Amino acid sequence: MRRIIRLALGAAVFGSAVTGALVAWPIGQIKGPITLEGDVNRGAYLARASGCIACHTNFEEGGAPLTGGVKLDTPFGTLYSPNLTTDPEHGIGDWTIGEFAQAVRQGISPEGEPYYPAFTYPFYGNFTDQDIADLWAAFQTVPAVAEPSKEQEMAFP
């Protein structure tokens, strides 16, 4: 009888922990609209310090800034970074700041698809509304480059 009580108590504790984790999990939670004015210079600094430029500019092949195409080898296959220029078809030119915030903080595309395992990292999940506004302002100054992102070469794990 004691064993059954301990199992039931353990299951209740485990269930509570799982429920708490799901409630606190940031994915899918949409914050309110971002209405702050962005600082282009601070956003450009954040883009450099956060690795946006390094991961989304193919320096080896002479790629334009933020056009993507950087090859990232993983145990699951090869990922290629996407185009983050203002091109409306191949980049983020037709995104809203809210869609940008969701992609950066939660790794969710405007279509609702996860970017995982490539993105996001916990570091970006902590960006404030001001950080997002600043990055957005800086990215809006990047000239559009009509270059499609390379297809991912991922195998089913």
Side-chain angles (χ1 to χ4, degrees), residues 40-102:
V40 172
N41 291 325
R42 185 172 183 276
Y45 170 79
L46 281 172
R48 287 189 304 275
S50 301
C52 303
I53 305 222
C55 283
H56 292 274
T57 304
N58 193 342
F59 294 106
E60 288 183 12
E61 295 182 14
L66 297 175
T67 56
V70 176
K71 182 178 179 179
L72 304 164
D73 290 317
T74 76
F76 306 106
T78 302
L79 299 170
Y80 295 94
S81 60
N83 182 335
L84 294 183
T85 70
T86 53
D87 184 73
E89 184 177 350
H90 302 293
I92 62 171
D94 67 348
W95 288 21
T96 66
I97 190 170
E99 291 169 333
F100 178 73
Q102 182 173 306

